[in-house]
Amino acid sequence: MKKVILIGAGMLASSYAHASALYFYETGTEDTALAGAGQAARAQDASTIMTNPAGMTRLPDHMVTGGLQVMDGSIDYQLDNDAQRSPGDVMKTVPNASAFYSQKVNDNLYAGIGLYGNYGLGIDYGSWAGDGVIKKSTMAAMTLSPSLAYRINDRLSIGASADLNYGFFSLTRNANNEDHTQRDSDWAMSYRLGLLMQLTDRTRAGITWNSQTDYDFDIDGKARLPHGSYRLPISAQVRAPQQIMLSVVHDVNARWSVMGDLGWQDWSQFGAPQIEVEGHQLDNASRMKDTWHGAVGVQYRPTQKWRLNAGVAFDSTPYRDQHDVAMTLPTGDEWRFGTGAQYQITPASNIGVAVEYLHMESSYVNAPAVFAGHYDSPHLWFASVNYSYQF
């Protein structure tokens, strides 16, 4: 699913989330205030472990960064058949958290570790006309990310992370007026490689590659109803594709910095997340295509104690046709608008706040009559606080 109702579990192991499919950029760090702009090149705190581990070579000898976040919004699903009961808003208020630690090993080698949730999926349809097929579905994921970075020279650093991902998946259905829930968990490995380049005294660029993440859950997506059997696209909901992110940061002067991103995610490899009816898919053609990400942001430092942030980002839809999206994977083109501020409490510590609004393109579900409907102007908002301490 390319960014819609999902949330990673982070330190709070939450059950709802949002992002591009299983990925999302908001984890309670300063990146939220910038809508993710410059994420692979900024390297201003220990959360660079998640966005580009090579960035640790720009940090002090020891640094801790942590963040708390809340997400809410509206993702409203209405059935085309007004005589049937629609799910309504399937989005719930969701907390999230993250923590990162980086340290200098020697003049050129840095090590760090991160604990965060940046992908997952949760939907709560409640009691509706199709609750015999799906009532609730939750995927929560938490990532432990040990990382290394090495400074090759004053202009070039490399980094790598080996991510240990723990995933939990549950599916709840109404059968004979009783809720029946299937649950399973799995561990999966993924990897991240990063490169950070100091192009000039004022300009640096970063590029990261994240490998695909695959979970294997023993959950049967098939439900048998009086008017037929249906199989949900569970396998498409629990995989995250490989992605590449290129970022540039330019310090205009002592007060102003501008930054931008260009990213790609390989959603086309996952084919068509379809609902199967009586053993036959509704459509054998692939609904999915690769997605692209772009972002621009700005930082302004009016004094030595304050840093003000703002950013805007765009992510393209993973669907070839917005009139044919999977019911359990609703999404479309996304726009993010973020802003926030950082305050230097002491020379060794700073605190920041961030807010972000995310607007998703409307979509239509082309499915059997009991499921067919539409998501109109879904949107999310994020509010977060972060803290960093160096020693």
Side-chain angles (χ1 to χ4, degrees), residues 212-223:
Q212 179 175 323
T213 305
D214 287 302
Y215 291 99
D216 183 14
F217 296 114
D218 186 16
I219 300 290
D220 186 3
K222 189 173 184 179

Side-chain angles (χ1 to χ4, degrees), residues 161-173:
S161 300
D163 297 338
L164 181 61
N165 306 283
Y166 175 78
F168 170 82
F169 189 83
S170 71
L171 175 65
T172 299
R173 292 187 171 107

Side-chain angles (χ1 to χ4, degrees), residues 92-269:
K92 307 298 179 184
T93 302
V94 181
N96 194 18
S98 59
F100 306 89
Y101 171 71
S102 171
Q103 76 168 52
K104 182 179 180 179
V105 178
N106 58 43
D107 288 344
N108 296 315
L109 182 64
Y110 287 70
I113 191 166
L115 182 64
Y116 56 90
N118 73 329
Y119 56 93
L121 168 66
I123 8 184
D124 186 354
Y125 286 94
S127 298
W128 68 296
D131 60 14
V133 172
I134 182 171
K135 191 171 183 179
K136 297 179 182 180
S137 176
T138 297
M139 178 180 176
M142 183 168 62
T143 298
L144 184 66
S145 183
S147 306
L148 290 173
Y150 184 77
R151 181 188 290 114
I152 297 175
N153 54 47
D154 291 341
R155 297 282 184 178
L156 182 64
S157 297
I158 58 175
S161 300
D163 297 338
L164 181 61
N165 306 283
Y166 175 78
F168 170 82
F169 189 83
S170 71
L171 175 65
T172 299
R173 292 187 171 107
N174 178 14
N176 299 320
N177 295 320
E178 292 185 2
D179 285 353
H180 290 264
T181 302
Q182 301 178 69
R183 299 182 179 92
D184 196 17
S185 61
D186 190 30
W187 293 90
M189 289 296 300
S190 61
Y191 306 93
R192 182 181 308 109
L193 300 177
L195 183 70
L196 187 65
M197 299 165 285
Q198 191 72 39
L199 302 180
T200 71
D201 291 343
R202 293 186 177 184
T203 305
R204 62 185 178 275
I207 185 168
T208 55
W209 168 81
N210 288 328
S211 69
Q212 179 175 323
T213 305
D214 287 302
Y215 291 99
D216 183 14
F217 296 114
D218 186 16
I219 300 290
D220 186 3
K222 189 173 184 179
R224 185 167 295 278
L225 302 176
H227 51 279
S229 63
Y230 300 85
R231 185 181 298 277
L232 296 173
I234 290 176
S235 63
Q237 298 174 17
V238 298
R239 297 185 293 178
Q242 63 174 327
Q243 67 169 349
I244 296 173
M245 185 71 71
L246 170 66
S247 301
V248 176
V249 174
H250 176 68
D251 299 323
V252 179
N253 52 41
R255 292 182 180 271
W256 291 93
S257 296
V258 293
M259 56 208 68
D261 291 338
L262 181 63
W264 166 83
Q265 293 179 345
D266 190 15
W267 285 106
S268 62
Q269 66 174 308

Side-chain angles (χ1 to χ4, degrees), residues 43-65:
Q44 290 174 315
D45 60 49
S47 67
T48 189
I49 289 170
M50 183 182 70
T51 55
N52 184 354
M56 287 190 289
T57 60
R58 290 182 53 85
L59 302 182
D61 290 357
H62 304 268
M63 192 169 197
V64 175
T65 298

Side-chain angles (χ1 to χ4, degrees), residues 288-348:
M288 310 296 284
K289 62 184 179 70
D290 292 347
T291 62
W292 295 92
H293 165 84
V296 292
V298 60
Q299 288 187 329
Y300 173 60
R301 294 169 285 274
T303 70
Q304 290 185 347
K305 286 186 173 293
W306 285 97
R307 181 167 69 235
L308 308 181
N309 297 304
V312 59
F314 173 78
D315 287 88
S316 65
T317 177
Y319 287 108
R320 298 183 183 276
D321 185 353
Q322 283 303 115
H323 288 82
D324 186 22
V325 308
M327 178 187 65
T328 52
L329 302 176
T331 188
D333 291 344
E334 291 185 357
W335 284 95
R336 285 173 165 83
F337 304 90
T339 189
Q342 298 290 128
Y343 178 72
Q344 198 72 34
I345 305 171
T346 70

